[in-house]
Amino acid sequence: EVQLLESGGGLVQPGGSLRLSCAASGFTFSSYTMNWVRQAPGKGLEWVSAICGSSDSTYYAESVKGRFTISRDNSKNALYLQMNSLRAEDTAVYYCAKSTGGSCYSGIGYWGQGILVTVSS
Amino acid sequence: DIVMTQSPDSLAVSLGERATINCRSSQSVLYSSNNKNYLGWYQQKPGQPPKLLINWASTRESGVPDRFSGSGSGTDFTLTISSLQAEDVAVYYCQQYYSMPCTFGQGTKLEIK
């Protein structure tokens, strides 16, 4: 059974940093593209970043480019999102999400339960 | 970036009736070399993460009831629920994964009339 468990969220001041982690199990982690998707309170889904299983290429939404860094450790079955220069508009539930394949260009088949990041002074 | 626009923003349908949600992309998401539309449909119930219902515009995921179907090609797509059940109350999103950044529609809230 696929399981994705996010950790590392919480309250941070504007301009601060936070590192999200996602522990994955139940599948061959290195073979799949992994994503971070966020959802601001009461709002819709916003794709944030992906790291492709087939190539380890990384992609970012324009809203986080230059501030967030996605990475993975295949030996630990772990996905990370380093978030720097955080802004109030980054406040959201962040989902770790597994794509349906190793290609960068595939749908998102499994989602974690999400973790809340609050950016506020 | 490809912009995804859903219509309507909200929808109220009677139990047992058909529900139709539309999604339009600002450019084609049909990849000609494999004739696949890079479009997915997701269901999100309150307090839960999203769930993939339909992949490649029309392929129902395992375990998804057959009352859910996806259709369309190129830039215009439709999610149809043939006979609405109470458990289908949710927000539905389309997403394109044809090009990065992949993008979601704004969501359609489906309620019971």
Side-chain angles (χ1 to χ4, degrees):
Chain A
E1 180 193 2
V2 172
Q3 293 194 5
L4 301 169
L5 183 61
E6 302 95 342
S7 62
L11 175 64
V12 61
Q13 292 188 337
S17 298
L18 213 53
R19 188 196 197 204
L20 302 184
S21 299
C22 173
S25 61
F27 63 101
T28 305
F29 181 73
S30 60
S31 298
Y32 288 86
T33 291
M34 297 296 296
N35 306 264
W36 290 99
V37 179
R38 69 184 181 184
Q39 187 167 35
K43 302 297 185 183
L45 300 172
E46 181 187 15
W47 175 86
V48 172
S49 183
I51 183 164
C52 304
S54 57
S55 64
D56 271 353
S57 298
T58 58
Y59 297 92
Y60 299 91
E62 199 61 39
S63 58
V64 307
K65 201 174 290 184
R67 300 187 299 123
F68 290 12
T69 302
I70 191 172
S71 62
R72 67 194 298 164
D73 185 336
N74 291 334
S75 67
K76 296 182 178 179
N77 287 353
L79 177 72
Y80 306 101
L81 186 68
Q82 177 67 43
M83 304 186 293
N84 298 331
S85 303
L86 282 161
R87 307 166 179 166
E89 53 265 36
D90 295 318
T91 295
V93 172
Y94 284 73
Y95 293 101
C96 169
K98 168 188 170 290
S99 288
T100 57
S103 165
C104 304
Y105 308 98
S106 50
I108 297 177
Y110 287 93
W111 302 66
Q113 288 300 307
I115 193 157
L116 179 62
V117 172
T118 303
V119 184
S120 175
S121 54
Chain B
D1 299 0
I2 298 178
V3 177
M4 307 299 290
T5 303
Q6 293 181 225
S7 62
D9 289 335
S10 63
L11 181 63
V13 175
S14 299
L15 290 173
E17 296 300 306
R18 178 184 299 258
T20 301
I21 299 170
N22 301 300
C23 176
R24 175 167 289 175
S25 56
S26 60
Q27 63 188 76
S28 176
V29 298
L30 173 63
Y31 192 37
S32 56
S33 66
N34 60 11
N35 203 36
K36 281 187 171 183
N37 287 283
Y38 284 55
L39 187 285
W41 286 99
Y42 300 83
Q43 175 193 63
Q44 187 178 31
K45 297 181 179 180
Q48 295 184 18
K51 173 186 175 183
L52 179 64
L53 298 176
I54 304 286
N55 208 2
W56 309 114
S58 60
T59 301
R60 198 181 307 115
E61 288 293 283
S62 174
V64 174
D66 60 8
R67 64 180 180 273
F68 291 91
S69 63
S71 62
S73 184
T75 61
D76 290 281
F77 301 91
T78 300
L79 174 70
T80 301
I81 308 172
S82 60
S83 176
L84 189 70
Q85 304 300 302
E87 61 265 32
D88 300 334
V89 169
V91 179
Y92 292 83
Y93 297 91
C94 61
Q95 181 211 17
Q96 67 80 19
Y97 37 91
Y98 177 87
S99 71
M100 290 294 183
C102 51
T103 43
F104 289 92
Q106 79 276 18
T108 295
K109 186 175 185 179
L110 177 59
E111 299 173 314
I112 304 295
K113 186 187 290 183

